[in-house]
């Protein structure tokens, strides 16, 4: 290859590199613009009409001026219960798959099954919860049924994210901890989990946001109504959430201010999901500061 041909090839490579760089920057900017446009469209319609009365008032079936108090409480309550169930089991399953499970055909089949469950439509988990709680146990549509069904929905993703985060920890770091005399459990607790925390927290953020905005599972397992009380901790009460209420108001409500209620409910839903992600990021910032020291 002559010097001239090598020079031309180098020039073409530099041109392709610049084109690819600009293409990726353009795609990133378009994605950000799309996200900001969606947020602006939703928040600009709903935020101006928000008030404390709207957030704490009982929904109205016939008259205008209803609020979202009970459904907003049910959303947080069911989310909390589902995370209490799914996080310990999901983290434990992920750690087992990454650190304890033997590398054989059974483990590979189990991993494929978990990945397949992660892509199952949420309405399937809703039908499963309906069959278990409403038909088999005969307890009807309840907060308990909605929370457990959401936990079923979140478990596969939590387990896979945790497994991948734990596997991403360098082997040399773990071998160094073993060389210092640590047991396997001590290594996982003091070395592996802090280093894998960022990936685990990301997975928890994903499932928490998905659970808070889920409607199909809640519609089939917790129902389309509330007990009528603002703070109802009874696990066997009906548990309509904000996402289900938003769907109902937008599609079937007959109150005259249904459009305004839908816009405000959508804005609250988006703001809460953003706050959930921010709240779960706080441990990451604290952990990163500790690691930098």
């Amino acid at each position: 290859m002559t010097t001239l041909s090598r020079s031309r090839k180098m020039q073409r490579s530099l041109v392709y590199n610049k084109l690819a760089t600009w293409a990726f920057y353009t795609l990133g900017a378009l994605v950000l613009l799309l996200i900001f446009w969606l947020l602006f469209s939703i928040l600009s319609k709903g935020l101006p009409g928000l008030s404390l009365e709207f957030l704490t008032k009982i929904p109205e079936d016939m008259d205008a001026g209803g609020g979202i108090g009970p459904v907003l409480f049910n959303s947080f309550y069911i989310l909390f219960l589902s995370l209490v169930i799914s996080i310990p089991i999901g983290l434990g399953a992920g750690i087992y798959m990454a650190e304890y499970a033997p590398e054989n055909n059974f483990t590979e089949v189990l991993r494929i099954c978990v990945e397949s469950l992660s892509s199952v439509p949420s309405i399937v988990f809703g039908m499963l919860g309906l069959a278990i709680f409403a038909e088999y146990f005969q307890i009807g549509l309840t907060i308990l049924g909605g929370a457990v069904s959401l936990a079923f929905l979140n478990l596969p993703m939590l387990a896979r994210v945790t497994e991948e985060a734990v596997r991403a920890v360098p082997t040399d770091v773990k071998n160094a901890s073993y060389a210092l005399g640590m047991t396997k459990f001590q290594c996982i607790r003091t070395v592996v989990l802090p280093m894998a925390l960022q990936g685990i927290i990301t997975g928890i953020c994903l499932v928490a946001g998905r659970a808070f905005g889920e409607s199909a599972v809640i519609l089939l397992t917790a129902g389309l109504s509330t007990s009528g009380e603002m703070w109802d901790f009874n696990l066997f009460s009906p548990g309509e959430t904000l996402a289900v209420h938003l769907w109902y108001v937008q599609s079937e409500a007959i109150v005259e201010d249904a459009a305004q209620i839908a816009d405000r409910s959508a804005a609250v839903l988006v703001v809460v999901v953003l706050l959930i992600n921010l709240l779960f990021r706080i441990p990451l910032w604290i952990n990163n500061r500790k690691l930098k020291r």
Side-chain angles (χ1 to χ4, degrees):
M1 183 181 292
T2 64
T3 304
L4 181 60
S5 61
R6 285 199 298 267
S7 177
R8 289 178 178 176
K9 186 176 181 180
M10 181 65 70
Q11 289 178 355
R12 284 198 300 269
S13 299
L14 292 174
V15 171
Y16 292 153
N17 181 64
K18 290 182 179 180
L19 290 175
T21 301
W22 280 107
F24 287 127
Y25 272 115
T26 303
L27 290 174
L30 290 176
V31 171
L32 289 176
L33 286 175
L34 177 61
I35 293 174
F36 285 128
W37 176 73
L38 290 173
L39 290 176
F40 177 78
S41 300
I42 296 173
L43 298 179
S44 62
K45 293 180 181 179
L47 286 182
L50 285 182
S51 64
L52 182 61
E53 182 182 8
F54 176 76
L55 296 176
T56 57
K57 194 175 181 181
I58 305 294
E60 296 288 348
D61 294 327
M62 303 293 293
D63 301 326
I68 59 170
V71 297
L72 185 60
F73 169 76
N74 286 343
S75 299
F76 285 110
Y77 191 31
I78 292 178
L79 173 63
F80 172 76
L81 293 175
S82 67
L83 292 180
V84 167
I85 297 171
S86 62
I87 288 179
I89 300 175
L91 294 185
I95 294 172
Y96 169 78
M97 294 290 290
E99 294 291 334
Y100 292 96
E103 293 295 333
N104 52 32
N105 293 332
F106 175 77
T107 304
E108 289 301 319
V109 171
L110 182 61
R111 189 173 288 114
I112 292 173
C113 292
V114 173
E115 291 176 351
S116 301
L117 285 174
S118 300
S119 59
V120 171
S122 60
I123 194 170
V124 175
F125 288 94
M127 295 176 67
L128 174 65
L130 179 66
I132 293 175
F133 294 100
E135 297 181 6
Y136 184 78
F137 289 108
Q138 298 290 322
I139 63 175
L141 305 180
T142 61
I143 291 175
L144 177 63
V148 176
S149 300
L150 275 182
F152 290 161
L153 178 67
N154 293 336
L155 275 175
M157 182 179 294
L158 262 180
R160 285 298 290 146
V161 170
T162 302
E163 180 186 359
E164 293 302 322
V166 171
R167 284 183 178 275
V169 177
T171 306
D172 293 342
V173 176
K174 292 186 283 188
N175 290 337
S177 65
Y178 294 143
L180 293 174
M182 289 187 181
T183 63
K184 193 176 188 66
F185 176 72
Q186 287 176 325
C187 175
I188 292 173
R189 181 173 59 87
T190 61
V191 177
V192 175
L193 287 182
M195 296 189 68
L197 187 62
Q198 185 167 358
I200 294 173
I201 293 297
T202 300
I204 295 175
C205 287
L206 290 174
V207 300
R210 182 185 184 187
F212 191 85
E214 183 58 50
S215 58
V217 173
I218 300 300
L219 184 63
L220 293 175
T221 57
L224 195 58
S225 62
T226 67
S227 63
E229 300 179 10
M230 179 60 195
W231 311 99
D232 189 358
F233 291 93
N234 185 3
L235 295 177
F236 298 98
S237 297
E240 180 189 14
T241 61
L242 183 59
V244 175
H245 184 69
L246 173 60
W247 168 82
Y248 171 75
V249 170
Q250 187 67 30
S251 59
E252 298 187 9
I254 58 175
V255 292
E256 60 185 48
D257 60 343
Q260 290 81 6
I261 294 176
D263 290 337
R264 297 168 190 169
S265 300
V268 172
L269 191 63
V270 170
V271 170
V272 170
V273 171
L274 293 175
L275 290 177
I276 287 174
N277 282 271
L278 179 62
L279 179 63
F280 279 107
R281 290 290 170 181
I282 294 176
L284 285 183
W285 298 334
I286 298 175
N287 184 64
N288 289 335
R289 293 187 64 181
K290 289 182 178 179
L291 292 177
K292 288 180 180 178
R293 293 176 183 175

